[in-house]
Amino acid sequence: MQIERTKGGKDIGNEVINAWASKKTKISKLIKRARNKQLFRTVSDEFDYLSSNNATPLFDFMEQLELNELAELVTMFCDIYHEQGELPEVLEKMKECVGFIHDLSALRNAAAHGRSILPLFMDPDYNGNWDLEFDNVENRTSVDKRILFNSLKTKWERNGLGEYSREILNTIYGNPVRKAWLELNYIYFYIVQDIEKMSFELFYNEAGWFLSKETDIYKQLKNMKIFNLRLSDMGCTTLNISPPPYDEIANEAYSAWELFER
């Protein structure tokens, strides 16, 4: 899906990159890095590197960005399209979810350098706001302002969970990794599924494996791969007194999937 040109043929992508480079020295450096990456490859024949010092394919440039800079890029695209009086649907969705990008940084950083994120999914101390939320949740938390709050709360209430659905969402949003994982699943089904089919299918298959579980404990231990852990590999830490945490967390992700009834 193309978003870099208006209906009148205006190259918004080039305009955004030029405007951003004029404001930030770092962006100029990233443009140079993106150009050098492809300069002598055969694909460079399809792009006019001589037209402008800032000329570079948009996706080559985006590969050089930090995750937190993506929000600024989306906002700039939306602003310029708004001036043209036309905002593509995919950009509307991106702008709606732009607040997720900061959350996703927590997930990315937690999993950097091959580290397993499983311990953080169930770490009861991984929340800097417990002292604010435990004593007066209804009045002090802002969880009901989250994009996914109403959709999931309505879904779970319809399934008979009642007000417990709010407690689930408070627990999710209290853990940065757990919250980011739920939002990542939502983004893939809400946005990526429509614009990058191959990326979506890759995520769908890999996430399906991550969320799957082996019911036979012997097979689970035998098939466990330290560099390819599944959520269920954390084991049942509740002694069957209550549902195992991997079931709860997997069901949260599946709830985001089911909003789109794939």
Side-chain angles (χ1 to χ4, degrees):
M1 180 180 295
Q2 298 294 320
I3 62 170
E4 66 267 26
R5 290 188 180 275
T6 64
K7 293 177 182 177
K10 188 175 182 180
D11 189 343
I12 299 295
N14 189 53
E15 184 172 337
V16 166
I17 292 176
N18 280 320
W20 206 3
S22 67
K23 294 179 181 179
K24 289 189 175 182
T25 303
K26 178 184 177 181
I27 299 303
S28 297
K29 293 179 179 178
L30 296 183
I31 291 170
K32 183 177 180 181
R33 187 189 302 170
R35 287 165 59 92
N36 288 340
K37 178 181 177 182
Q38 301 287 359
L39 190 59
F40 298 107
R41 298 177 183 271
T42 55
V43 70
S44 67
D45 295 335
E46 303 171 7
F47 186 76
D48 185 6
Y49 282 95
L50 302 178
S51 62
S52 166
N53 289 334
N54 288 333
T56 183
L58 178 61
F59 285 103
D60 287 353
F61 170 69
M62 289 176 65
E63 286 183 357
Q64 309 304 319
L65 296 178
E66 296 288 337
L67 187 58
N68 58 4
E69 292 168 332
L70 186 57
E72 190 173 349
L73 179 64
V74 170
T75 300
M76 292 186 72
F77 260 102
C78 289
D79 289 345
I80 292 180
Y81 265 104
H82 184 71
E83 291 174 1
Q84 302 296 317
E86 51 177 281
L87 186 63
E89 182 182 1
V90 64
L91 276 178
E92 287 188 29
K93 291 182 176 181
M94 289 180 181
K95 187 175 182 179
E96 181 184 345
C97 297
V98 76
F100 289 169
I101 292 175
H102 175 74
D103 297 337
L104 294 178
S105 295
L107 186 65
R108 187 271 313 273
N109 293 340
H113 309 297
R115 293 193 296 261
S116 173
I117 62 173
L118 296 189
L120 294 180
F121 268 117
M122 53 188 298
D123 184 350
D125 298 322
Y126 192 35
N127 182 358
N129 296 313
W130 280 139
D131 57 332
L132 299 178
E133 294 184 356
F134 269 138
D135 58 349
N136 195 357
V137 171
E138 293 298 322
N139 294 330
R140 303 181 77 164
T141 183
S142 59
V143 67
D144 56 347
K145 296 181 175 62
R146 295 281 180 170
I147 293 175
L148 279 169
F149 178 84
N150 285 327
S151 298
L152 291 176
K153 185 171 183 290
T154 300
K155 173 182 171 55
W156 290 335
E157 286 178 343
R158 193 182 300 124
N159 291 343
L161 292 177
E163 279 304 305
Y164 182 57
S165 60
R166 184 183 183 88
E167 295 181 25
I168 297 173
L169 285 159
N170 270 291
T171 300
I172 294 170
Y173 286 118
N175 183 312
V177 168
R178 197 164 170 179
K179 174 177 61 175
W181 170 245
L182 177 64
E183 292 171 345
L184 181 66
N185 279 268
Y186 180 78
I187 287 172
Y188 265 92
F189 277 81
Y190 186 49
I191 299 175
V192 180
Q193 181 173 200
D194 293 329
I195 62 175
E196 287 288 337
K197 296 290 186 184
M198 291 182 63
S199 295
F200 173 78
E201 290 299 331
L202 179 62
F203 172 82
Y204 183 75
N205 292 328
E206 290 187 346
W209 160 256
F210 180 66
L211 297 172
S212 66
K213 63 179 180 179
E214 182 65 68
T215 56
D216 186 309
I217 187 64
Y218 173 75
K219 289 182 179 178
Q220 178 183 347
L221 294 173
K222 183 179 179 181
N223 296 329
M224 188 182 299
K225 298 179 177 62
I226 192 63
F227 293 111
N228 193 19
L229 293 171
R230 293 181 299 183
L231 194 59
S232 60
D233 289 334
M234 68 172 62
C236 182
T237 60
T238 57
L239 302 178
N240 294 320
I241 297 173
S242 60
Y246 56 79
D247 275 349
E248 296 292 304
I249 297 169
N251 287 336
E252 292 161 10
Y254 287 139
S255 292
W257 294 23
E258 290 164 2
L259 291 176
F260 302 92
E261 297 180 348
R262 176 178 168 82

